[in-house]
Amino acid sequence: MSELKNVLTIGRYLKNKFGEKVYKVPVSISGFTCPNIDGTVARGGCSFCENDSFSPNLQEKKTKFKLNPRINNNPYLENQLKQLELQFLATKKRLENKFGAKKFIVYFQSFTNTYAPFDTLKALYEKALSFDNVLGLSIGTRTDCVTDEILDFLVEKSKNKEIWVEYGIQSFFDETLVKINRGDNVSNMKYWIQRTKEKGLNVCGHLIYGLPDENQEMMLETFRQTIDLKVDSIKFHPLYVVKNTLLTNEFKKGKFTPISEELYIDTIVKSIINLPSNISVQRITAGIDDDTLLSPNWCRDKHTQMKNIRLALQKEGFNY
């Protein structure tokens, strides 16, 4: 058997660049929301998103204060900066103890992490970059929530740090974006992805396979168009149904059938085979193992998913 070709995972990319393993530290700062939840572009969020609109329990746990770019001042900034530090230090310690981790990237993960006044973003990003052994930032956001001011600030930081902007693309079909209540459109997504790339920033695109009424050809077409935009990295997710979402209702009415594991794996394999060697993969699947998962059941066991995907890729000559 010929030697397997390594898929360029984000871990391999970072190790090649920095000479040692680099760990992403996810942080979730309270007060961040999304224009698709607060009514700016839509209400309720994307159909797969669990948020305050559906879950009163979430509301109890989180501050009622919500950021948006139009507020003049942020009275919670000090608390948010403390929260950032506490979360980072706790995860860093755990990674050091478990893996001997030495270098880190702070990943602003939950909700839309550019949807706030510029001064708030600047303070949070600079604080994150000031922590010991932090090489850079990865910022999860939407293409309708970035501005040239934010991107130019990140460009300045990228002169000395590893800076990534992670955009939720999900699909490059406008009819799908309407079905999932995305509140954004294909032309706007492409415009800001291209603009971010033109400025020289690293871009990671998030794709979801198994969106309502999408067949494999549509999923692969979104993948091809993502590649054409010359993104630096991709995250792949299967669409699964959790409680307290718009999708819950569609699923319970029998109007939505989640993607099968076989089709998901086949689509991932076809994607990886056609992935340019300079584009890294940050995630190849996702799942959740708790009582909020309604379907599909195969998304419950991430370990088995990964094993099955790796075996399927090996058959095609790839090592993930």
Side-chain angles (χ1 to χ4, degrees):
M1 188 178 169
S2 58
E3 199 176 328
L4 296 175
K5 182 184 175 187
N6 278 339
V7 177
L8 182 64
T9 60
I10 191 65
R12 289 181 181 127
Y13 160 82
L14 290 169
K15 193 168 185 183
N16 291 344
K17 183 165 184 178
F18 295 105
E20 61 184 299
K21 191 156 182 187
V22 179
Y23 293 80
K24 273 177 106 171
V25 176
V27 294
S28 180
I29 307 301
S30 62
F32 275 88
T33 182
C34 166
N36 200 21
I37 291 171
D38 70 9
T40 304
V41 297
R43 284 209 175 275
C46 294
S47 64
F48 46 81
C49 173
E50 185 187 8
N51 59 70
D52 301 1
S53 312
F54 297 98
S55 181
N57 296 336
L58 274 177
Q59 229 157 10
E60 286 164 24
K61 291 177 202 163
K62 293 180 182 173
T63 170
K64 293 278 193 292
F65 171 75
K66 296 294 180 194
L67 291 165
N68 74 67
R70 297 173 301 281
I71 61 172
N72 292 322
N73 69 333
N74 175 6
Y76 291 90
L77 181 58
E78 283 309 311
N79 286 345
Q80 290 170 326
L81 291 167
K82 278 180 197 154
Q83 195 179 38
L84 169 64
E85 185 164 20
L86 287 169
Q87 284 184 36
F88 172 76
L89 291 175
T91 305
K92 176 174 176 264
K93 190 173 183 184
R94 200 160 58 245
L95 291 169
E96 284 170 342
N97 292 341
K98 195 171 179 183
F99 304 109
K102 293 186 176 70
K103 301 291 179 191
F104 307 92
I105 285 175
V106 179
Y107 175 28
F108 287 85
Q109 183 177 35
S110 299
F111 290 108
T112 304
N113 293 282
T114 57
Y115 190 60
F118 179 63
D119 288 346
T120 292
L121 298 176
K122 204 173 153 187
L124 287 164
Y125 298 162
E126 285 182 334
K127 177 82 170 174
L129 288 170
S130 75
F131 297 141
D132 285 346
N133 299 315
V134 165
L135 301 175
L137 304 177
S138 203
I139 299 159
T141 189
R142 293 165 54 101
T143 51
D144 56 357
C145 295
V146 286
T147 61
D148 282 315
E149 183 180 38
I150 293 167
L151 294 178
D152 290 341
F153 173 78
L154 294 175
V155 167
E156 194 57 38
K157 295 297 168 192
S158 73
K159 290 174 182 173
N160 302 307
K161 296 287 185 178
E162 179 82 5
I163 305 292
W164 285 81
V165 183
E166 298 197 23
Y167 287 123
I169 294 169
Q170 324 315 2
S171 171
F172 273 136
F173 287 88
D174 276 324
E175 62 264 39
T176 301
L177 299 179
V178 170
K179 279 173 196 160
I180 64 172
N181 196 42
R182 185 70 184 156
D184 201 356
N185 62 68
V186 171
S187 64
N188 184 65
M189 291 198 296
K190 289 189 171 179
Y191 173 82
W192 282 104
I193 290 168
Q194 285 167 324
R195 194 142 181 80
T196 309
K197 283 296 302 160
E198 281 162 11
K199 288 176 183 284
L201 290 165
N202 296 311
V203 172
C204 174
H206 292 218
L207 306 186
I208 295 182
Y209 287 167
L211 289 165
D213 301 323
E214 286 207 349
N215 58 26
Q216 187 181 61
E217 183 46 46
M218 292 171 78
M219 298 175 217
L220 291 173
E221 182 56 31
T222 288
F223 169 75
R224 280 192 285 271
Q225 291 187 38
T226 303
I227 296 306
D228 288 345
L229 290 168
K230 298 187 166 47
V231 298
D232 303 276
S233 193
I234 295 185
K235 281 186 179 177
F236 298 101
H237 306 246
L239 182 60
Y240 51 86
V241 188
V242 293
K243 292 175 184 175
N244 303 318
T245 67
L246 287 167
L247 198 61
T248 309
N249 304 333
E250 297 296 298
F251 172 71
K252 286 182 174 174
K253 288 177 193 163
K255 292 181 180 175
F256 173 70
T257 304
I259 192 168
S260 69
E261 185 173 20
E262 294 71 27
L263 179 56
Y264 183 77
I265 292 175
D266 188 59
T267 314
I268 286 291
V269 170
K270 286 183 165 82
S271 302
I272 297 297
I273 286 170
N274 291 293
L275 187 73
S277 58
N278 63 315
I279 296 180
S280 64
V281 179
Q282 299 215 20
R283 178 178 290 148
I284 209 156
T285 189
I288 184 167
D289 183 19
D290 62 35
D291 62 359
T292 64
L293 180 70
L294 295 175
S295 184
N297 211 43
W298 63 267
C299 281
R300 207 170 279 287
D301 187 349
K302 182 101 178 277
H303 179 72
T304 303
Q305 280 185 64
M306 290 300 297
K307 190 179 91 176
N308 293 342
I309 291 170
R310 283 198 171 101
L311 287 170
L313 284 168
Q314 281 169 15
K315 284 179 188 167
E316 298 297 330
F318 289 88
N319 172 48
Y320 183 77

